[in-house]
Amino acid sequence: HIFDKGAEETRAKFSSTGLAVTGNITAPTNPAFNVGLSAIQSDIAIDGWVTVLFDTEIFDQGANFNTGTYTFTAPVTGKYQLNLTVRLENVDTAAAYYQITIKTSNKTYVFTIDPGALASDPGYWAIPLSVLADMDASDTAYVRIFQSIGTAQTDVNADPGETIFSGYLAC
């Protein structure tokens, strides 16, 4: 049997042991995005949530990421793999903690660091966060950061290899 989806072709064989597929299976219409920052986000505010300004698309398959609101909107219900790496610069050891979140309509996913154990302010600190998120059609996802106390000296690095937010429909 041959399943034909446009220019792609996948061959499948049925046998007594099940289905065997040969060739590559791709999903060029599934939503997927990868975004970065166009500029350093300097001196983030303390004691309040700050949205990370992901305003530069590396790609946006399906046009579901809005660079004006820094938000991904799920076009269909499903499980979405969301990935984040944020490089903070001029991290303040006087801060009680920092939290980086991927906030979806259904849940907030959090990564917390406590720089207070360090002897001095680190020049940078890269924070990763990945999650398989349950999202309904029209649910949104965006990234926030929170610094508890300290000095508003921390920057979000804009290097596209170090500060990125990406996601795709997994199933």
Side-chain angles (χ1 to χ4, degrees):
H1 294 89
I2 297 176
F3 300 98
D4 187 10
K5 286 191 92 173
E8 298 174 24
E9 182 179 288
T10 300
R11 296 190 182 273
K13 293 181 180 179
F14 294 92
S15 69
S16 61
T17 59
L19 173 68
V21 177
T22 60
N24 296 321
I25 298 174
T26 61
T29 58
N30 278 6
F33 69 92
N34 189 329
V35 293
L37 283 70
S38 63
I40 293 172
Q41 197 168 338
S42 299
D43 301 331
I44 61 167
I46 59 170
D47 295 324
W49 287 105
V50 175
T51 299
V52 180
L53 307 178
F54 286 105
D55 62 354
T56 302
E57 292 178 349
I58 298 164
F59 63 82
D60 184 8
Q61 186 169 290
N64 301 298
F65 194 92
N66 184 325
T67 56
T69 62
Y70 324 110
T71 302
F72 169 72
T73 302
V76 297
T77 297
K79 308 299 184 267
Y80 288 81
Q81 179 63 46
L82 302 174
N83 309 295
L84 172 68
T85 300
V86 174
R87 178 178 160 158
L88 300 179
E89 296 182 343
N90 304 313
V91 175
D92 186 8
T93 56
Y97 61 87
Y98 289 82
Q99 289 186 320
I100 302 290
T101 68
I102 297 175
K103 176 139 180 66
T104 70
S105 299
N106 296 331
K107 187 173 173 91
T108 300
Y109 303 92
V110 182
F111 189 97
T112 304
I113 63 169
D114 175 5
L118 303 174
S120 62
D121 293 353
Y124 63 89
W125 197 322
I127 300 171
L129 179 58
S130 292
V131 64
L132 185 61
D134 181 29
M135 297 181 76
D136 299 319
S138 299
D139 279 355
T140 59
Y142 63 99
V143 176
R144 302 180 309 172
I145 184 169
F146 184 91
Q147 177 185 336
S148 176
I149 70 172
T151 304
Q153 68 183 39
T154 303
D155 306 328
V156 178
N157 181 292
D159 185 315
E162 298 195 64
T163 299
I164 56 171
F165 181 33
S166 65
Y168 62 91
L169 176 62
C171 55

